[in-house]
Every structure is written in structure tokens, then in C-alpha cells.
PDB file of all heavy atoms in Angstrom:
ATOM      1  N   LEU A   1      -5.606  -7.861  -2.063  1.00  0.00           N
ATOM      2  CA  LEU A   1      -4.258  -8.244  -2.488  1.00  0.00           C
ATOM      3  C   LEU A   1      -4.252  -9.050  -3.784  1.00  0.00           C
ATOM      4  O   LEU A   1      -3.320  -8.946  -4.580  1.00  0.00           O
ATOM      5  CB  LEU A   1      -3.561  -9.047  -1.383  1.00  0.00           C
ATOM      6  CG  LEU A   1      -3.197  -8.252  -0.124  1.00  0.00           C
ATOM      7  CD1 LEU A   1      -2.835  -9.193   1.014  1.00  0.00           C
ATOM      8  CD2 LEU A   1      -2.055  -7.289  -0.418  1.00  0.00           C
ATOM      9  N   ASN A   2      -5.307  -9.877  -3.982  1.00  0.00           N
ATOM     10  CA  ASN A   2      -5.265 -10.739  -5.169  1.00  0.00           C
ATOM     11  C   ASN A   2      -6.179 -10.269  -6.297  1.00  0.00           C
ATOM     12  O   ASN A   2      -6.290 -10.930  -7.328  1.00  0.00           O
ATOM     13  CB  ASN A   2      -5.598 -12.191  -4.803  1.00  0.00           C
ATOM     14  CG  ASN A   2      -7.004 -12.365  -4.260  1.00  0.00           C
ATOM     15  OD1 ASN A   2      -7.913 -11.650  -4.652  1.00  0.00           O
ATOM     16  ND2 ASN A   2      -7.183 -13.330  -3.361  1.00  0.00           N
ATOM     17  N   GLY A   3      -6.841  -9.115  -6.095  1.00  0.00           N
ATOM     18  CA  GLY A   3      -7.651  -8.548  -7.170  1.00  0.00           C
ATOM     19  C   GLY A   3      -9.033  -9.147  -7.294  1.00  0.00           C
ATOM     20  O   GLY A   3      -9.724  -8.906  -8.290  1.00  0.00           O
ATOM     21  N   GLY A   4      -9.468  -9.943  -6.316  1.00  0.00           N
ATOM     22  CA  GLY A   4     -10.781 -10.563  -6.379  1.00  0.00           C
ATOM     23  C   GLY A   4     -11.822  -9.759  -5.630  1.00  0.00           C
ATOM     24  O   GLY A   4     -11.524  -8.806  -4.916  1.00  0.00           O
ATOM     25  N   GLY A   5     -13.076 -10.184  -5.762  1.00  0.00           N
ATOM     26  CA  GLY A   5     -14.160  -9.582  -4.989  1.00  0.00           C
ATOM     27  C   GLY A   5     -14.493  -8.159  -5.420  1.00  0.00           C
ATOM     28  O   GLY A   5     -13.827  -7.557  -6.258  1.00  0.00           O
ATOM     29  N   ARG A   6     -15.556  -7.632  -4.825  1.00  0.00           N
ATOM     30  CA  ARG A   6     -15.983  -6.262  -5.120  1.00  0.00           C
ATOM     31  C   ARG A   6     -15.432  -5.338  -4.044  1.00  0.00           C
ATOM     32  O   ARG A   6     -16.117  -5.025  -3.055  1.00  0.00           O
ATOM     33  CB  ARG A   6     -17.503  -6.187  -5.176  1.00  0.00           C
ATOM     34  CG  ARG A   6     -18.098  -7.013  -6.314  1.00  0.00           C
ATOM     35  CD  ARG A   6     -19.604  -6.879  -6.344  1.00  0.00           C
ATOM     36  NE  ARG A   6     -20.179  -7.612  -7.462  1.00  0.00           N
ATOM     37  CZ  ARG A   6     -21.490  -7.682  -7.725  1.00  0.00           C
ATOM     38  NH1 ARG A   6     -22.355  -7.038  -6.931  1.00  0.00           N
ATOM     39  NH2 ARG A   6     -21.938  -8.380  -8.748  1.00  0.00           N
ATOM     40  N   ILE A   7     -14.209  -4.912  -4.236  1.00  0.00           N
ATOM     41  CA  ILE A   7     -13.514  -4.070  -3.264  1.00  0.00           C
ATOM     42  C   ILE A   7     -13.322  -2.689  -3.887  1.00  0.00           C
ATOM     43  O   ILE A   7     -12.861  -2.572  -5.029  1.00  0.00           O
ATOM     44  CB  ILE A   7     -12.143  -4.668  -2.874  1.00  0.00           C
ATOM     45  CG1 ILE A   7     -12.305  -6.107  -2.394  1.00  0.00           C
ATOM     46  CG2 ILE A   7     -11.457  -3.810  -1.824  1.00  0.00           C
ATOM     47  CD1 ILE A   7     -13.139  -6.278  -1.140  1.00  0.00           C
ATOM     48  N   SER A   8     -13.651  -1.651  -3.156  1.00  0.00           N
ATOM     49  CA  SER A   8     -13.451  -0.304  -3.683  1.00  0.00           C
ATOM     50  C   SER A   8     -11.957  -0.017  -3.814  1.00  0.00           C
ATOM     51  O   SER A   8     -11.130  -0.599  -3.108  1.00  0.00           O
ATOM     52  CB  SER A   8     -14.088   0.728  -2.752  1.00  0.00           C
ATOM     53  OG  SER A   8     -13.355   0.833  -1.535  1.00  0.00           O
ATOM     54  N   GLU A   9     -11.640   0.886  -4.725  1.00  0.00           N
ATOM     55  CA  GLU A   9     -10.232   1.232  -4.938  1.00  0.00           C
ATOM     56  C   GLU A   9      -9.644   1.868  -3.682  1.00  0.00           C
ATOM     57  O   GLU A   9      -8.467   1.665  -3.362  1.00  0.00           O
ATOM     58  CB  GLU A   9     -10.098   2.184  -6.126  1.00  0.00           C
ATOM     59  CG  GLU A   9      -8.660   2.530  -6.491  1.00  0.00           C
ATOM     60  CD  GLU A   9      -7.835   1.297  -6.855  1.00  0.00           C
ATOM     61  OE1 GLU A   9      -8.414   0.295  -7.320  1.00  0.00           O
ATOM     62  OE2 GLU A   9      -6.588   1.340  -6.649  1.00  0.00           O
ATOM     63  N   GLN A  10     -10.440   2.620  -2.949  1.00  0.00           N
ATOM     64  CA  GLN A  10      -9.962   3.246  -1.713  1.00  0.00           C
ATOM     65  C   GLN A  10      -9.572   2.179  -0.677  1.00  0.00           C
ATOM     66  O   GLN A  10      -8.515   2.266  -0.045  1.00  0.00           O
ATOM     67  CB  GLN A  10     -11.050   4.156  -1.134  1.00  0.00           C
ATOM     68  CG  GLN A  10     -10.621   4.875   0.145  1.00  0.00           C
ATOM     69  CD  GLN A  10     -11.727   5.784   0.683  1.00  0.00           C
ATOM     70  OE1 GLN A  10     -12.833   5.836   0.139  1.00  0.00           O
ATOM     71  NE2 GLN A  10     -11.439   6.497   1.752  1.00  0.00           N
ATOM     72  N   THR A  11     -10.411   1.148  -0.538  1.00  0.00           N
ATOM     73  CA  THR A  11     -10.101   0.071   0.411  1.00  0.00           C
ATOM     74  C   THR A  11      -8.878  -0.729  -0.061  1.00  0.00           C
ATOM     75  O   THR A  11      -8.018  -1.094   0.736  1.00  0.00           O
ATOM     76  CB  THR A  11     -11.313  -0.875   0.555  1.00  0.00           C
ATOM     77  OG1 THR A  11     -12.419  -0.140   1.054  1.00  0.00           O
ATOM     78  CG2 THR A  11     -11.004  -2.023   1.495  1.00  0.00           C
ATOM     79  N   ARG A  12      -8.839  -0.989  -1.371  1.00  0.00           N
ATOM     80  CA  ARG A  12      -7.704  -1.737  -1.915  1.00  0.00           C
ATOM     81  C   ARG A  12      -6.388  -1.024  -1.626  1.00  0.00           C
ATOM     82  O   ARG A  12      -5.405  -1.631  -1.188  1.00  0.00           O
ATOM     83  CB  ARG A  12      -7.874  -1.935  -3.421  1.00  0.00           C
ATOM     84  CG  ARG A  12      -6.867  -2.917  -4.038  1.00  0.00           C
ATOM     85  CD  ARG A  12      -7.009  -2.989  -5.559  1.00  0.00           C
ATOM     86  NE  ARG A  12      -8.399  -3.191  -5.970  1.00  0.00           N
ATOM     87  CZ  ARG A  12      -9.000  -4.375  -5.981  1.00  0.00           C
ATOM     88  NH1 ARG A  12      -8.340  -5.465  -5.602  1.00  0.00           N
ATOM     89  NH2 ARG A  12     -10.261  -4.475  -6.374  1.00  0.00           N
ATOM     90  N   GLN A  13      -6.337   0.279  -1.851  1.00  0.00           N
ATOM     91  CA  GLN A  13      -5.118   1.037  -1.600  1.00  0.00           C
ATOM     92  C   GLN A  13      -4.769   1.052  -0.114  1.00  0.00           C
ATOM     93  O   GLN A  13      -3.594   0.995   0.270  1.00  0.00           O
ATOM     94  CB  GLN A  13      -5.273   2.473  -2.115  1.00  0.00           C
ATOM     95  CG  GLN A  13      -5.299   2.578  -3.632  1.00  0.00           C
ATOM     96  CD  GLN A  13      -4.062   1.989  -4.275  1.00  0.00           C
ATOM     97  OE1 GLN A  13      -2.938   2.182  -3.781  1.00  0.00           O
ATOM     98  NE2 GLN A  13      -4.253   1.247  -5.367  1.00  0.00           N
ATOM     99  N   LYS A  14      -5.780   1.096   0.736  1.00  0.00           N
ATOM    100  CA  LYS A  14      -5.570   1.061   2.182  1.00  0.00           C
ATOM    101  C   LYS A  14      -4.894  -0.247   2.589  1.00  0.00           C
ATOM    102  O   LYS A  14      -3.946  -0.268   3.390  1.00  0.00           O
ATOM    103  CB  LYS A  14      -6.917   1.206   2.881  1.00  0.00           C
ATOM    104  CG  LYS A  14      -6.854   1.294   4.400  1.00  0.00           C
ATOM    105  CD  LYS A  14      -8.263   1.478   4.954  1.00  0.00           C
ATOM    106  CE  LYS A  14      -8.237   1.566   6.477  1.00  0.00           C
ATOM    107  NZ  LYS A  14      -9.608   1.707   7.036  1.00  0.00           N
ATOM    108  N   VAL A  15      -5.360  -1.350   1.998  1.00  0.00           N
ATOM    109  CA  VAL A  15      -4.774  -2.666   2.300  1.00  0.00           C
ATOM    110  C   VAL A  15      -3.362  -2.768   1.732  1.00  0.00           C
ATOM    111  O   VAL A  15      -2.445  -3.261   2.398  1.00  0.00           O
ATOM    112  CB  VAL A  15      -5.671  -3.794   1.747  1.00  0.00           C
ATOM    113  CG1 VAL A  15      -4.970  -5.152   1.889  1.00  0.00           C
ATOM    114  CG2 VAL A  15      -7.012  -3.813   2.476  1.00  0.00           C
ATOM    115  N   LEU A  16      -3.172  -2.313   0.528  1.00  0.00           N
ATOM    116  CA  LEU A  16      -1.847  -2.381  -0.088  1.00  0.00           C
ATOM    117  C   LEU A  16      -0.829  -1.568   0.703  1.00  0.00           C
ATOM    118  O   LEU A  16       0.320  -1.974   0.870  1.00  0.00           O
ATOM    119  CB  LEU A  16      -1.912  -1.890  -1.542  1.00  0.00           C
ATOM    120  CG  LEU A  16      -2.694  -2.778  -2.521  1.00  0.00           C
ATOM    121  CD1 LEU A  16      -2.772  -2.110  -3.893  1.00  0.00           C
ATOM    122  CD2 LEU A  16      -2.065  -4.155  -2.643  1.00  0.00           C
ATOM    123  N   GLN A  17      -1.223  -0.410   1.168  1.00  0.00           N
ATOM    124  CA  GLN A  17      -0.320   0.418   1.983  1.00  0.00           C
ATOM    125  C   GLN A  17       0.009  -0.263   3.305  1.00  0.00           C
ATOM    126  O   GLN A  17       1.139  -0.217   3.784  1.00  0.00           O
ATOM    127  CB  GLN A  17      -0.947   1.786   2.214  1.00  0.00           C
ATOM    128  CG  GLN A  17      -1.023   2.650   0.962  1.00  0.00           C
ATOM    129  CD  GLN A  17      -1.908   3.855   1.125  1.00  0.00           C
ATOM    130  OE1 GLN A  17      -2.304   4.208   2.248  1.00  0.00           O
ATOM    131  NE2 GLN A  17      -2.252   4.508   0.007  1.00  0.00           N
ATOM    132  N   ALA A  18      -0.994  -0.923   3.909  1.00  0.00           N
ATOM    133  CA  ALA A  18      -0.748  -1.667   5.148  1.00  0.00           C
ATOM    134  C   ALA A  18       0.207  -2.829   4.899  1.00  0.00           C
ATOM    135  O   ALA A  18       1.105  -3.103   5.708  1.00  0.00           O
ATOM    136  CB  ALA A  18      -2.075  -2.172   5.720  1.00  0.00           C
ATOM    137  N   ALA A  19       0.019  -3.511   3.774  1.00  0.00           N
ATOM    138  CA  ALA A  19       0.900  -4.638   3.434  1.00  0.00           C
ATOM    139  C   ALA A  19       2.339  -4.167   3.277  1.00  0.00           C
ATOM    140  O   ALA A  19       3.289  -4.838   3.707  1.00  0.00           O
ATOM    141  CB  ALA A  19       0.414  -5.302   2.144  1.00  0.00           C
ATOM    142  N   GLU A  20       2.502  -3.003   2.664  1.00  0.00           N
ATOM    143  CA  GLU A  20       3.852  -2.453   2.488  1.00  0.00           C
ATOM    144  C   GLU A  20       4.480  -2.091   3.833  1.00  0.00           C
ATOM    145  O   GLU A  20       5.661  -2.329   4.066  1.00  0.00           O
ATOM    146  CB  GLU A  20       3.795  -1.236   1.574  1.00  0.00           C
ATOM    147  CG  GLU A  20       5.170  -0.673   1.234  1.00  0.00           C
ATOM    148  CD  GLU A  20       5.092   0.476   0.248  1.00  0.00           C
ATOM    149  OE1 GLU A  20       3.988   0.766  -0.250  1.00  0.00           O
ATOM    150  OE2 GLU A  20       6.149   1.084  -0.019  1.00  0.00           O
ATOM    151  N   ARG A  21       3.673  -1.535   4.741  1.00  0.00           N
ATOM    152  CA  ARG A  21       4.197  -1.156   6.055  1.00  0.00           C
ATOM    153  C   ARG A  21       4.694  -2.362   6.853  1.00  0.00           C
ATOM    154  O   ARG A  21       5.722  -2.302   7.511  1.00  0.00           O
ATOM    155  CB  ARG A  21       3.111  -0.421   6.866  1.00  0.00           C
ATOM    156  CG  ARG A  21       2.844   0.985   6.420  1.00  0.00           C
ATOM    157  CD  ARG A  21       2.083   1.766   7.488  1.00  0.00           C
ATOM    158  NE  ARG A  21       0.797   1.171   7.828  1.00  0.00           N
ATOM    159  CZ  ARG A  21      -0.345   1.416   7.187  1.00  0.00           C
ATOM    160  NH1 ARG A  21      -0.345   2.242   6.146  1.00  0.00           N
ATOM    161  NH2 ARG A  21      -1.459   0.840   7.580  1.00  0.00           N
ATOM    162  N   VAL A  22       3.962  -3.467   6.772  1.00  0.00           N
ATOM    163  CA  VAL A  22       4.338  -4.643   7.575  1.00  0.00           C
ATOM    164  C   VAL A  22       5.261  -5.591   6.813  1.00  0.00           C
ATOM    165  O   VAL A  22       5.686  -6.614   7.347  1.00  0.00           O
ATOM    166  CB  VAL A  22       3.088  -5.410   8.060  1.00  0.00           C
ATOM    167  CG1 VAL A  22       2.204  -4.512   8.900  1.00  0.00           C
ATOM    168  CG2 VAL A  22       2.300  -5.999   6.891  1.00  0.00           C
ATOM    169  N   GLY A  23       5.575  -5.258   5.553  1.00  0.00           N
ATOM    170  CA  GLY A  23       6.479  -6.102   4.780  1.00  0.00           C
ATOM    171  C   GLY A  23       5.857  -7.419   4.354  1.00  0.00           C
ATOM    172  O   GLY A  23       6.535  -8.451   4.266  1.00  0.00           O
ATOM    173  N   TYR A  24       4.561  -7.408   4.038  1.00  0.00           N
ATOM    174  CA  TYR A  24       3.870  -8.644   3.668  1.00  0.00           C
ATOM    175  C   TYR A  24       4.312  -9.122   2.292  1.00  0.00           C
ATOM    176  O   TYR A  24       4.380  -8.343   1.335  1.00  0.00           O
ATOM    177  CB  TYR A  24       2.353  -8.425   3.657  1.00  0.00           C
ATOM    178  CG  TYR A  24       1.596  -9.595   3.070  1.00  0.00           C
ATOM    179  CD1 TYR A  24       1.425 -10.764   3.800  1.00  0.00           C
ATOM    180  CD2 TYR A  24       1.076  -9.538   1.784  1.00  0.00           C
ATOM    181  CE1 TYR A  24       0.752 -11.846   3.263  1.00  0.00           C
ATOM    182  CE2 TYR A  24       0.399 -10.609   1.236  1.00  0.00           C
ATOM    183  CZ  TYR A  24       0.242 -11.764   1.975  1.00  0.00           C
ATOM    184  OH  TYR A  24      -0.406 -12.836   1.439  1.00  0.00           O
ATOM    185  N   ILE A  25       4.609 -10.426   2.184  1.00  0.00           N
ATOM    186  CA  ILE A  25       4.928 -11.071   0.914  1.00  0.00           C
ATOM    187  C   ILE A  25       3.995 -12.263   0.753  1.00  0.00           C
ATOM    188  O   ILE A  25       3.925 -13.117   1.641  1.00  0.00           O
ATOM    189  CB  ILE A  25       6.393 -11.556   0.880  1.00  0.00           C
ATOM    190  CG1 ILE A  25       7.348 -10.360   1.021  1.00  0.00           C
ATOM    191  CG2 ILE A  25       6.686 -12.301  -0.417  1.00  0.00           C
ATOM    192  CD1 ILE A  25       8.795 -10.765   1.153  1.00  0.00           C
ATOM    193  N   PRO A  26       3.247 -12.353  -0.344  1.00  0.00           N
ATOM    194  CA  PRO A  26       2.303 -13.462  -0.505  1.00  0.00           C
ATOM    195  C   PRO A  26       3.012 -14.804  -0.594  1.00  0.00           C
ATOM    196  O   PRO A  26       4.126 -14.901  -1.102  1.00  0.00           O
ATOM    197  CB  PRO A  26       1.568 -13.129  -1.816  1.00  0.00           C
ATOM    198  CG  PRO A  26       2.473 -12.199  -2.541  1.00  0.00           C
ATOM    199  CD  PRO A  26       3.203 -11.425  -1.501  1.00  0.00           C
ATOM    200  N   SER A  27       2.370 -15.845  -0.106  1.00  0.00           N
ATOM    201  CA  SER A  27       2.901 -17.211  -0.151  1.00  0.00           C
ATOM    202  C   SER A  27       2.505 -17.857  -1.469  1.00  0.00           C
ATOM    203  O   SER A  27       1.322 -18.072  -1.741  1.00  0.00           O
ATOM    204  CB  SER A  27       2.360 -18.035   1.016  1.00  0.00           C
ATOM    205  OG  SER A  27       2.642 -19.403   0.821  1.00  0.00           O
ATOM    206  N   VAL A  28       3.515 -18.163  -2.302  1.00  0.00           N
ATOM    207  CA  VAL A  28       3.237 -18.793  -3.586  1.00  0.00           C
ATOM    208  C   VAL A  28       2.621 -20.165  -3.392  1.00  0.00           C
ATOM    209  O   VAL A  28       1.676 -20.565  -4.077  1.00  0.00           O
ATOM    210  CB  VAL A  28       4.532 -18.894  -4.420  1.00  0.00           C
ATOM    211  CG1 VAL A  28       4.261 -19.613  -5.728  1.00  0.00           C
ATOM    212  CG2 VAL A  28       5.088 -17.506  -4.693  1.00  0.00           C
ATOM    213  N   SER A  29       3.148 -20.943  -2.428  1.00  0.00           N
ATOM    214  CA  SER A  29       2.631 -22.290  -2.202  1.00  0.00           C
ATOM    215  C   SER A  29       1.187 -22.248  -1.704  1.00  0.00           C
ATOM    216  O   SER A  29       0.354 -23.070  -2.085  1.00  0.00           O
ATOM    217  CB  SER A  29       3.506 -23.032  -1.197  1.00  0.00           C
ATOM    218  OG  SER A  29       3.588 -22.330   0.023  1.00  0.00           O
ATOM    219  N   ALA A  30       0.865 -21.268  -0.837  1.00  0.00           N
ATOM    220  CA  ALA A  30      -0.511 -21.144  -0.354  1.00  0.00           C
ATOM    221  C   ALA A  30      -1.463 -20.809  -1.493  1.00  0.00           C
ATOM    222  O   ALA A  30      -2.577 -21.337  -1.569  1.00  0.00           O
ATOM    223  CB  ALA A  30      -0.587 -20.076   0.733  1.00  0.00           C
ATOM    224  N   ARG A  31      -1.030 -19.955  -2.392  1.00  0.00           N
ATOM    225  CA  ARG A  31      -1.868 -19.626  -3.546  1.00  0.00           C
ATOM    226  C   ARG A  31      -2.103 -20.859  -4.404  1.00  0.00           C
ATOM    227  O   ARG A  31      -3.185 -21.065  -4.947  1.00  0.00           O
ATOM    228  CB  ARG A  31      -1.214 -18.515  -4.376  1.00  0.00           C
ATOM    229  CG  ARG A  31      -1.321 -17.139  -3.724  1.00  0.00           C
ATOM    230  CD  ARG A  31      -0.760 -16.052  -4.608  1.00  0.00           C
ATOM    231  NE  ARG A  31      -1.132 -14.738  -4.097  1.00  0.00           N
ATOM    232  CZ  ARG A  31      -0.834 -13.594  -4.703  1.00  0.00           C
ATOM    233  NH1 ARG A  31      -0.145 -13.609  -5.826  1.00  0.00           N
ATOM    234  NH2 ARG A  31      -1.208 -12.435  -4.185  1.00  0.00           N
TER     235      ARG A  31
END
């Protein structure tokens, strides 16, 4: 989600699609 680490593009897209399905919004204060 935040573009860090050595994550494959396939895994990144899998996570992004999951985030969209569950309506995830990052916490600005937590960041």
C-alpha cells in the first residue's frame, strides 16, 4: 500500500484490489 519493501507487482496489485473490495482508506495520523 505504501510502496515500500521488495514486493512483486503481482502481489502489490492483489493487495490493492483487496483494499478496494473492503473499502480500505489509509490513516493519515497513523502514517
Side-chain angles (χ1 to χ4, degrees):
L1 291 166
N2 63 32
R6 296 181 177 179
I7 306 297
S8 71
E9 184 59 27
Q10 181 179 3
T11 299
R12 190 185 311 279
Q13 290 303 319
K14 184 178 180 182
V15 172
L16 292 175
Q17 291 167 13
E20 185 176 354
R21 286 197 301 273
V22 301
Y24 171 75
I25 298 173
S27 168
V28 177
S29 57
R31 285 184 168 183

